[in-house]
Amino acid sequence: MRTFVHRGFARLAVALVALGTVGVGWTAPASADPAGLVLRGETTQENSSDKSLPVRCPANTVVSGGGAYLTTSPDAGGRVAVDRLEPLADGSGFVATMREAGPVDYTGDWRFTTRAVCVSPPAGYQVVAVTGAVGTQYVTASCGTKSVIGMGGRVNGGAGDVVLDQVVPSFDLKSVTARGVAVQGATTTGWSVTAFAVCATAVAGLERLWDPAPTDSVASVTCPAGKALYSVGADINAGNGQVLLSGVNIGPEDTVRVWADEDADGLAGNWTVAAYGICGS
């Protein structure tokens, strides 16, 4: 059964600003979902600081995936970007970070929401993290003989000059690839990328869904009837560091919705954004 909890109080801001409670909401349970599946979300206060926001899973559950998205004025798009979508190593929750990025500083206040998908612990549950060499854009984490049920990526030391451009599960659901890309005009040194694969055995009906949205800046995909959404991912193609992820969202129910925005200078070429979902029964 599905329970959605949206607690609008932030846990942490990168600049150590104080954050507060915003609101609480619920959705009706979905009878097709695996027992114990819970969707949780929390929202930061609106301010001008870079922010990290963890969401904790309930007792007797573990995280399978999560997302983050701007919940603020539209003009923050293209000036604030995701650089962390991380399932915690012990399975206790999911943490996201969004930072101001791009060639023009955003002068207004902004906020974002982190969402986490939590499930009853499946057999063989494990979070695998692989960090690439300094300056390496593409990093892959593998589940070996297990299957990928969730994914994530993190930029280390990018400080808003390097952002997440891709978090994608392989076709056979055996690995996850994350990519970090330098934004336009950035001088970057010493950064790296970590890819996360949430692994398990014997999860029924696992399926990788993909919507490339070739003519739009928004992509979405919904799990088929009888299956629930375990994790979400995204990919920007040909963004060249000038297209920033504004949202990797879970909702409405069992739907992935991904969107991106060009930076303040815009991008003359064509680009696309893709949404990825992992569904199971």
Side-chain angles (χ1 to χ4, degrees):
M1 296 177 68
R2 163 80 46 95
T3 303
F4 174 69
V5 182
H6 187 281
R7 293 178 179 165
F9 52 92
R11 304 293 190 188
L12 174 68
V14 170
L16 300 180
V17 295
L19 300 174
T21 302
V22 176
V24 177
W26 299 81
T27 60
S31 59
D33 285 347
L37 191 148
V38 177
L39 176 60
R40 285 198 158 177
E42 298 185 9
T43 299
T44 69
Q45 278 190 341
E46 196 164 40
N47 54 55
S48 60
S49 300
D50 294 345
K51 305 169 187 67
S52 290
L53 177 57
V55 173
R56 299 293 176 178
C57 288
N60 302 316
T61 67
V62 290
V63 70
S64 62
Y69 60 98
L70 280 170
T71 47
T72 192
S73 56
D75 62 344
R79 293 159 176 80
V80 175
V82 176
D83 81 345
R84 184 183 186 188
L85 296 170
E86 180 178 345
L88 296 177
D90 62 358
S92 63
F94 193 90
V95 61
T97 300
M98 297 192 75
R99 299 181 186 271
E100 295 185 10
V104 177
D105 289 338
Y106 183 60
T107 58
D109 294 339
W110 53 277
R111 64 180 181 270
F112 79 92
T113 294
T114 300
R115 285 197 171 175
V117 183
C118 308
V119 296
S120 296
Y125 180 85
Q126 179 184 15
V127 178
V128 176
V130 175
T131 300
V134 170
T136 301
Q137 288 191 345
Y138 293 94
V139 179
T140 297
S142 174
C143 283
T145 59
K146 300 177 183 180
S147 296
V148 172
I149 64 169
M151 58 191 125
R154 184 184 71 214
V155 175
N156 310 299
D161 289 327
V162 181
V163 296
L164 274 181
D165 189 75
Q166 177 187 103
V167 178
V168 173
S170 62
F171 285 99
D172 60 1
L173 289 179
K174 291 299 181 182
S175 64
V176 174
T177 298
R179 181 194 185 204
V181 61
V183 300
Q184 180 190 13
T187 301
T188 60
T189 58
W191 61 273
S192 63
V193 173
T194 301
F196 299 90
V198 183
C199 311
T201 57
V203 175
L206 279 182
E207 181 178 358
R208 172 190 186 264
L209 300 182
W210 172 53
D211 175 14
T215 59
D216 202 348
S217 60
V218 178
S220 66
V221 66
T222 301
C223 294
K227 292 190 177 183
L229 185 64
Y230 276 75
S231 187
V232 301
D235 184 19
I236 297 174
N237 180 49
N240 301 324
Q242 291 184 256
V243 180
L244 309 180
L245 274 177
S246 299
V248 184
N249 189 15
I250 303 166
E253 188 171 298
D254 295 328
T255 296
V256 184
R257 184 171 179 267
V258 173
W259 64 99
D261 295 279
E262 294 181 10
D263 68 17
D265 288 349
L267 178 63
N270 295 325
W271 57 274
T272 60
V273 62
Y276 291 83
I278 299 176
C279 305
S281 53

